[in-house]
Amino acid sequence: MNHLIAPSILAADFANLQRDIEMINNSDADWVHVDIMDGMFVPNISFGFPVVAATKRHATKPLDVHLMIVDPDRYLKAFKDAGANGITVHYEACPHLHRTVQAIKELGCRAGVALNPHTPVALLEDIIADLDMVLIMSVNPGFGGQKFIANTYKKLNDLKALSEKKNPGLFIEVDGGVDQNNVKELLQAGANVLVAGSSVFSSAIPADAIYNLKHP
């Protein structure tokens, strides 16, 4: 499976969001990663439904919506209606995770579950067969530009081994500190979807940064 690139618009220029989305459209990126933060599950607030809907109007690539929010079940349909193609919820925020995953699938969206850095992959053993994607957070969620957590490689290896037994077609996404320096090692560890924010949008030519992640 060729790996996918999902630039995170959390690192885009919010005053020129349409321009940055059009750059993604014309690049080697595969998805547009949209980080939703509520100021409760994580100590930051990002986008709401109007910004997701505005992104959808301009994006020609699927919206990969990552909900870093408490009680995400309340808003699944609203994010689908705003344009989400995939919805990822956090294991730590969902006491009835199976129900949440089934609700995402019933909406016709790709269903993903994210794990914070301290959450072990083994906790997904009983549900991994039902998932379309698992997102390994390689930084603490809430802010862009953080330092990559090295234990991520072990978690990716663990997840790859689990997926090979129970869900070989699983998307294995990694988010946080992804750049040209670690892309090859991440892919070797098992990742097949790379989220990149700061390393794309802080580069002189963001489309080139995306190309280099797609063709390391």
Side-chain angles (χ1 to χ4, degrees):
M1 173 177 171
N2 293 327
H3 68 281
L4 308 180
I5 306 298
S8 171
I9 59 170
L10 184 66
D13 180 351
F14 294 169
N16 292 283
L17 192 54
Q18 179 180 348
R19 178 202 67 193
D20 285 354
I21 292 166
E22 289 172 350
M23 180 278 296
I24 295 172
N25 291 342
N26 295 319
S27 76
D28 281 300
D30 301 280
W31 297 344
V32 179
H33 191 79
V34 185
D35 289 304
I36 307 297
M37 306 178 185
D38 63 359
M40 297 174 68
F41 182 70
V42 292
N44 195 12
I45 295 172
S46 61
F47 310 118
F49 309 118
V51 174
V52 177
T55 300
K56 185 66 174 181
R57 283 199 300 275
H58 297 292
T60 59
K61 297 181 178 181
L63 298 193
D64 178 35
V65 175
H66 176 194
L67 301 184
M68 288 173 266
I69 65 177
V70 297
D71 196 8
D73 299 70
R74 294 173 296 168
Y75 301 116
L76 298 177
K77 186 177 185 303
F79 280 111
K80 161 67 176 176
D81 292 345
N85 298 96
I87 297 176
T88 298
V89 296
H90 268 262
Y91 174 91
E92 302 84 4
C94 297
H96 306 288
L97 184 60
H98 183 271
R99 179 191 300 163
T100 304
V101 167
Q102 295 309 311
I104 295 170
K105 290 192 165 196
E106 286 167 10
L107 291 168
C109 292
R110 184 181 60 253
V113 170
L115 298 179
N116 280 340
H118 71 281
T119 304
V121 164
L123 291 172
L124 296 179
E125 184 167 3
D126 290 339
I127 197 171
I128 195 165
D130 296 309
L131 303 180
D132 300 309
M133 185 170 79
V134 174
L135 167 52
I136 299 295
M137 291 299 303
S138 44
V139 298
N140 288 297
F143 297 94
Q146 296 182 66
K147 185 179 178 184
F148 180 87
I149 296 171
N151 189 53
T152 301
Y153 297 118
K154 176 188 178 297
K155 291 180 73 172
L156 288 170
N157 279 312
D158 291 347
L159 180 57
K160 179 68 172 175
L162 187 59
S163 74
E164 284 176 348
K165 284 195 297 182
K166 297 199 169 190
N167 188 348
L170 186 74
F171 287 113
I172 298 176
E173 187 172 55
V174 61
D175 182 1
V178 174
D179 60 25
Q180 201 57 45
N181 296 317
N182 57 21
V183 55
K184 288 185 179 178
E185 199 168 355
L186 290 169
L187 296 174
Q188 288 167 357
N192 53 37
V193 184
L194 305 178
V195 176
S198 300
S199 67
V200 167
F201 289 102
S202 66
S203 66
I205 305 176
D208 286 357
I210 293 170
Y211 178 88
N212 290 333
L213 290 172
K214 186 73 173 178
H215 307 278

